[in-house]
Amino acid sequence: TEVGWCDGSLAPTASPTFDADAMGCPDEYVPGAEYAGGEKVAVGNLLYECTAEFAAFCPLRTPGEVPEDEAWVSVGPCTGTIAPTAGPTFDPDAPGCPPEFVAGTPYGGGDKVAVGTIVYECSAAASAHCPHRTPGELADDDAWTEVGPCTGTVGPTSSPTFDPDTPGCPDPYSPAIAYGKGDKVAVDGSRAYMCKRDDDAAFCNAGPRYAPGTGLYSDVAWVWLGSCVGTLAPTAAPTVDLEAPGCPEEYSSAAKYEGGDKVLVGGLVYVCKWDEYGAYCNAGPMFAPGGDNSDLGWIKMGSCRGSLAPVASPL
């Protein structure tokens, strides 16, 4: 198409001038790099911004190459580099950092740990999960709550003092021992637990996942009693009761018992009930005298001494 005639040459454009207000240049565009909506790149001394709507195309299109590109928008010129952010400053009010989180440690409600320079607090409602979840790894974690930043270490507390009212520790927990309702154990020589007195006591012997204080489901089977120190005070030395009756024969699971029959278990005398509950006296090991369900069929009478006096010879 003929446009028209011309004479001479086009007048040159004005020489480029330095824009003192031009922002520093971000990193140069790299084809294939991952860019998100709002990210800025430089191509030479021109600045481009990736659009959020077409961000998927930003790694594939070099800014400025495609006219009316929907992926990259020209922002303007730039010069030099973007000024660095201000240097970090020390916050004198930031608390000292508690000890670092250690997986498997029996944390309780209110315990604080550090992950790097961030403090987390164990939630009392979900404390059973605190030993097994690294703080900050799960979104909406109900076990750990972020408290805030920390720096340095927590100042030392005053020297520990001895509390004469702190109870002595029961025997240490052992997975090799079978525990029953109300049995008490110590963990780490400083924390006392009791096997529950209800049907959940069966879990006290259900393996490491139910171990007191350290198992993921510790609170299903065990009740935390509090701290302890040393060992339990010994009970008074046993005394001989001269009035105690003689001992009956030892209990035998092979024998058949009737109401009123007496047996010996662990130095204690039990009598089989006279009513319909006496049927439990022969219902197997779970109902044996001294066991978890002993009181269904047996009545504990007390201690005994020696053996029962023989009855008179028949005439």
Side-chain angles (χ1 to χ4, degrees), residues 57-85:
F57 296 99
C58 290
L60 310 174
R61 296 180 183 173
T62 301
E65 279 194 348
V66 179
E68 300 180 4
D69 189 1
E70 296 172 322
W72 293 99
V73 176
S74 176
V75 177
C78 63
T79 181
T81 58
I82 292 177
T85 57

Side-chain angles (χ1 to χ4, degrees), residues 95-101 111-116 118-120 150 152-154:
C97 293
E100 279 281 325
F101 170 78
D111 286 348
K112 294 183 176 66
V113 298
V115 176
I118 303 297
V119 180
Y120 294 86
C150 65
T153 56
V154 173

Side-chain angles (χ1 to χ4, degrees), residues 106-314:
Y107 296 108
D111 286 348
K112 294 183 176 66
V113 298
V115 176
T117 57
I118 303 297
V119 180
Y120 294 86
E121 181 174 335
C122 177
S123 166
S127 59
H129 300 289
C130 290
H132 312 285
R133 293 183 184 171
T134 300
E137 278 197 346
L138 296 178
D140 300 325
D141 189 0
D142 60 348
W144 292 100
T145 302
E146 182 177 333
V147 176
C150 65
T151 180
T153 56
V154 173
T157 58
S158 57
S159 300
T161 57
F162 174 70
D163 181 1
D165 296 325
T166 301
C169 292
D171 290 337
Y173 168 77
S174 170
I177 296 176
Y179 294 102
K181 297 176 182 179
D183 286 348
K184 298 179 179 67
V185 297
V187 176
D188 295 334
S190 61
R191 291 175 294 125
Y193 292 83
M194 181 180 72
C195 182
K196 289 188 175 180
R197 296 184 182 275
D198 55 20
D199 292 341
D200 287 336
F203 291 103
C204 294
N205 305 299
R209 288 161 66 87
Y210 295 87
T214 59
L216 180 61
Y217 303 114
S218 166
D219 55 346
V220 172
W222 299 89
V223 177
W224 183 53
L225 298 178
S227 58
C228 62
V229 63
T231 57
L232 290 172
T235 57
T239 58
V240 176
D241 181 5
L242 298 179
E243 303 298 325
C247 297
E249 293 183 356
E250 286 278 344
Y251 168 79
S252 170
S253 58
K256 294 296 181 182
Y257 296 101
E258 298 177 350
D261 286 346
K262 295 183 178 67
V263 295
L264 178 67
V265 176
L268 295 175
V269 179
Y270 293 82
V271 60
C272 181
K273 290 184 177 180
W274 287 269
D275 56 18
E276 65 271 17
Y277 288 101
Y280 285 104
C281 296
N282 303 300
M286 292 188 63
F287 301 90
D292 288 346
N293 303 303
S294 169
D295 55 351
L296 286 174
W298 298 89
I299 299 172
K300 183 165 65 174
M301 303 295 291
S303 59
C304 63
R305 181 174 59 86
S307 58
L308 290 172
V311 296
S313 301

